Amino acid sequence: AAVRTVARTGQAAVRIRARNRQPDAVAPPSPFRSPRTPLATRLGRRRAVGLAQVERDEVEQIRRATGATVNDVILALAGGALRAHLEELGELPERSLVGFVPVSVREESDTLETGVNRLSGMFVSLATAIEDPVARLEAVSACARQAKAQDRALGPDWFGAMAELALPAALRPLTRLMTRSGATSARPPFNVTVSSFPGSPLPLFCAGGKMVSYYPFGPVFDGVALNITASTYLDQIGFGLIACRNALPDVEVLARRIPDAMTQLSKATAG
């Protein structure tokens, strides 16, 4: 199994390299090549949380006007909010931030009964170096398309196969060593995790009470002290932001910049 996985990885790498050399190719960012930001820090014990909402119809209007996907728009909103926030702090790097985007590759046969949850992922530029909101969305969309092509080249079960090659008994001490030495925060593989998934189009209830909003949350890591997760619910898209308080104590301010980025993008694509 190990030989097959390594061989397939090598074959996919050759195909990806050839595709990235094409004149019109927009190569996705490589891991461990992300710019330095205040998010690249060792995690403390305390967390900070921010919440935001945007109208689902507005996202759909932008999607139809630009040809982007809903996920592209969500990534561009995250990039716009981070650009404005880091620029105000005087911490905006010249190179664009890199987001890690988890991707579900579950098949129809993977049900709740089987307990199988297949995940892959891709690295996407958040185009924070681009000021114009429409140009930023176009750059994010182009990078995401290329990243999806790379993910297809690797195959839906590549992440799982690679994880199985790592012996847990050896991996745990190595992870502790990297954390204590600060290696994970010195050269993080990416800047921020940004994920999204569809939620219920119908109202949900608990003990007779209607759920009015939904804000999902994801994990943070050493060197990647911010997670932005979004989900649709009814006519809204809710964003849950969680961060290490040492790295981003004002994460609620960053959250408020997401609707601002939505307004800027809506105005720029109107008409």
Side-chain angles (χ1 to χ4, degrees):
V3 171
R4 286 196 300 269
T5 299
V6 172
R8 192 179 69 182
T9 301
Q11 293 169 357
V14 172
R15 293 196 299 271
I16 290 170
R17 185 177 180 86
R19 184 183 293 112
N20 289 345
R21 285 181 170 180
Q22 296 176 3
D24 59 342
V26 181
S30 302
F32 300 100
R33 298 294 299 274
S34 56
R36 290 285 298 177
T37 72
L39 302 175
T41 183
R42 294 182 65 177
L43 295 183
R45 295 182 178 273
R46 302 178 66 198
R47 301 288 177 264
V49 167
L51 309 176
Q53 270 190 347
V54 299
E55 295 290 334
R56 191 172 180 177
D57 285 346
E58 278 193 89
V59 173
E60 286 293 335
Q61 289 172 9
I62 293 171
R63 182 190 66 79
R64 290 192 294 267
T66 61
T69 67
V70 171
N71 191 58
D72 295 341
V73 177
I74 288 173
L75 290 171
L77 294 179
L82 283 164
R83 174 187 166 85
H85 196 70
L86 292 175
E87 190 171 37
E88 184 171 292
L89 296 176
E91 298 281 0
L92 181 66
E94 293 183 1
R95 293 187 293 122
S96 292
L97 270 63
V98 177
F100 176 71
V101 183
V103 178
S104 174
V105 291
R106 291 182 64 179
E107 301 175 354
E108 293 184 1
S109 58
D110 300 330
T111 64
L112 292 175
E113 286 75 16
T114 62
V116 177
N117 187 19
R118 302 180 192 272
L119 285 176
S120 181
M122 57 188 186
F123 296 98
V124 177
S125 169
L126 299 182
T128 52
I130 300 176
E131 182 177 3
D132 181 79
V134 177
R136 185 185 309 121
L137 173 58
E138 291 173 346
V140 168
S141 184
C143 186
R145 284 195 300 270
Q146 191 72 2
K148 290 174 184 176
Q150 290 193 6
D151 188 57
R152 288 193 295 269
L154 289 171
D157 58 343
W158 181 81
F159 267 77
M162 291 300 292
E164 290 179 1
L165 292 182
L167 297 177
L171 191 59
R172 282 194 294 268
L174 178 61
T175 302
R176 286 197 296 267
L177 177 62
M178 293 179 66
T179 300
R180 291 170 182 170
S181 66
T184 51
S185 55
R187 287 186 61 85
F190 49 92
N191 296 113
V192 56
T193 303
V194 185
S195 62
S196 63
F197 57 93
S200 174
L202 302 175
L204 302 178
F205 295 84
C206 180
K210 179 182 177 181
M211 185 171 77
V212 296
S213 300
Y214 179 60
Y215 304 97
F217 294 99
V220 290
F221 309 94
D222 275 336
V224 187
L226 173 66
N227 183 297
I228 302 175
T229 303
S231 177
T232 57
Y233 176 61
L234 299 180
D235 57 352
Q236 302 282 335
I237 297 180
F239 289 76
L241 288 74
I242 188 167
C244 173
R245 186 171 290 276
N246 296 342
L248 198 63
D250 54 348
V251 67
E252 71 280 357
V253 177
L254 172 62
R256 290 198 294 269
R257 297 185 191 275
I258 291 178
D260 294 342
M262 180 84 257
T263 300
Q264 293 175 4
L265 195 52
S266 294
K267 289 181 178 178
T269 57

